[in-house]
Amino acid sequence: MKSLRLAMLAVALPSLILMNADEAHSADANYDESKVPHYTLPDPLTANDGAKITTADQWTHKRRAEILKLFENNVYGQLPAKPAGLKFTEDAPTENALDGKAVRKQIAIHIPREDGETVMHVLMYLPVNSKSVPVFVAYNFYGNHTIANDPGILLSKAWMMDNDDKGVVNHHATEESRGTSSSRWDLDEILKRGYGLVTIYYGDIEPDRADGWKDGLRSRIHHDADGKPLAIEDWSAISAWAWGLGRVMDYLETDPSVNAKQVVVMGHSRLGKTSLWAGATDQRFAIVISNDSGCGGAALSRRAFGETVKRINTSFPHWFCKTFKNYNDNEDACPVDQHELIALMAPRPVYVASAHEDQWADPKGEFLSAKLAGPVYALFGEKGVDVDEQPPIHTPVGDFIRYHIRAGKHDVTDYDWEQYLNFADRHFGRHH
Ligand code: GCU
């Protein structure tokens, strides 16, 4: 009797009782290539009225807007307009930092709302004596103070996910948090190559939890870019975060130490989904980088490999808009797939990166998206990923669309940064 009850409990609560987090992941996920369903992808070059898109002009003036709308309506939701009355102030004095290798700036972006303001705290490291330098803009997961061991970085006061390894206690950063994510930020190399790094804690815009909208910007802006009413579920946390990156761009356009025409937006994982959506919705970003962004990022949803639409909507109901839930176990019904998100970057350079041990993010699906955006780049005479098969590890491929898979886990490594810097150098006409 006792064992029967235990067995019943195990059936009812398998992921809670019997499995660790990774095993729980795999319980609902397919990792078998032969079980990937047969699917037909929507064609980025067939317009909603059935017309074939054959020129860059038709793409730019007709089809691009259609696909963008489809993503707004079905995946990420709408975005508000740029607010009037943005203000930028210094959070701390600008100083030399990192043993004289950089200048550290900390800027507050004040976003006016109906009931006050939302403040984004921006940390910038720039090469010394910077004038008009290219920069990488990227959100961080646990506060600006985690990205380097620099006591001059203001400790984030925002809510964050509890995490012992990151020194987060009761949802707030402590002194122990400093530098805990530094392995993900190859600052030395970024600065040595003449680039600046601009980073912001994504929770400044909306805390990353199902009801985070209550404390975030999303419950305080009530109209979309066309002035139409905007309900909470008509946009999403990812839209709100992406929109925040646009406000960072607004600031960068005012800062003479930065070349606002050479701003690379980069993000890892959920923040890679965000960097892609930011690049799609704000064409001021000159280069867009997705690091291990997976489901709802670079990976094709229709492959349902690793994390699926249903799984992501269940674990993270706040990331996508209401309509995206209609595609749980029903990916074919979605009028877009993620190769069309990559295509929205055209003709700007875009980089999609995977990690070999990150099957949850479906590296092959990420590769296929990068590859299948190619026909749109071809309209502009630019080459995308010019190989048919996913390349072996550590073998980047492609020109305006570039792809690599590296050894190792879901992470951002120095190898990834080296490729991104090479990519930016090439497209910005810089030599190293
Ligand atoms: C989870 C989630 C992914 C996401 C990742 C991350 O694993 O399922 O979709 O990319 O978290 O952001 O680290």
Side-chain angles (χ1 to χ4, degrees), residues 53-320:
I53 302 299
T54 55
T55 67
D57 201 59
Q58 289 167 347
W59 169 264
T60 305
H61 295 111
K62 176 174 180 176
R63 183 61 177 151
R64 186 178 193 282
E66 289 182 355
I67 294 185
L68 192 64
K69 254 281 153 278
L70 291 173
F71 275 105
E72 283 177 9
N73 292 343
N74 295 283
V75 185
Y76 306 105
Q78 320 296 316
L79 269 72
K82 175 179 167 181
L86 270 188
K87 281 206 194 69
F88 312 118
T89 58
E90 274 197 340
D91 251 350
T94 297
E95 290 173 341
N96 281 338
L98 308 178
D99 300 325
K101 280 182 285 199
V103 167
R104 180 199 334 102
K105 274 188 166 183
Q106 297 184 86
I107 303 292
I109 300 180
H110 303 262
I111 305 172
R113 311 183 313 224
E114 285 160 22
D115 62 343
E117 62 173 18
T118 290
V119 181
M120 297 180 83
H121 299 282
V122 183
L123 167 68
M124 300 170 70
Y125 284 116
L126 298 166
V128 182
N129 297 325
S130 289
K131 258 206 213 122
S132 200
V133 291
V135 294
F136 286 84
V137 176
Y139 275 129
N140 58 69
F141 279 81
Y142 287 98
N144 297 343
H145 58 276
T146 60
I147 77 132
N149 238 320
D150 173 356
I153 306 176
L154 299 170
L155 204 67
S156 174
K157 298 194 180 91
W159 182 95
M160 49 192 70
M161 282 175 282
D162 272 339
N163 185 328
D164 285 347
D165 296 343
K166 303 282 175 194
V168 181
V169 178
N170 293 329
H171 296 295
H172 284 88
T174 66
E175 283 297 322
E176 306 301 307
S177 310
R178 291 192 179 280
T180 48
S181 299
S182 58
S183 71
R184 285 190 171 176
W185 304 87
D186 195 2
L187 260 178
D188 274 355
E189 194 60 23
I190 293 169
L191 292 162
K192 220 193 291 161
R193 301 273 287 258
Y195 290 77
L197 177 69
V198 179
T199 186
I200 319 93
Y201 172 51
Y202 75 134
D204 285 357
I205 288 285
E206 175 168 328
D208 188 1
R209 51 173 206 260
D211 66 352
W213 56 271
K214 291 184 185 164
D215 294 331
L217 181 88
R218 209 157 29 119
S219 54
R220 279 138 179 129
I221 292 188
H222 303 296
H223 293 94
D224 71 10
D226 302 323
K228 295 207 204 86
L230 188 57
I232 298 297
E233 289 182 303
D234 291 341
W235 48 329
S236 62
I238 289 182
S239 264
W241 296 325
W243 185 84
L245 290 170
R247 308 300 58 84
V248 177
M249 187 74 206
D250 294 339
Y251 164 73
L252 295 175
E253 288 185 322
T254 70
D255 186 333
S257 49
V258 168
N259 182 347
K261 299 262 180 280
Q262 296 190 337
V263 176
V264 186
V265 64
M266 181 272 188
H268 170 61
S269 207
R270 68 197 66 184
L271 300 177
K273 310 181 208 296
T274 303
S275 65
L276 287 171
W277 185 229
T281 51
D282 194 329
Q283 294 187 76
R284 292 174 297 174
F285 292 110
I287 296 182
V288 182
I289 298 177
S290 149
N291 193 88
D292 305 357
S293 63
C295 181
L300 289 177
S301 299
R302 279 168 175 71
R303 278 174 48 79
F305 188 101
E307 186 174 31
T308 60
V309 169
K310 180 180 178 186
R311 181 58 202 254
I312 206 167
N313 278 331
T314 308
S315 312
F316 306 101
H318 54 301
W319 282 2
F320 301 91

Side-chain angles (χ1 to χ4, degrees), residues 26-39:
S26 57
D28 310 331
N30 172 40
Y31 290 114
D32 180 348
E33 200 54 47
S34 72
K35 294 203 177 113
V36 168
H38 291 286
Y39 58 83

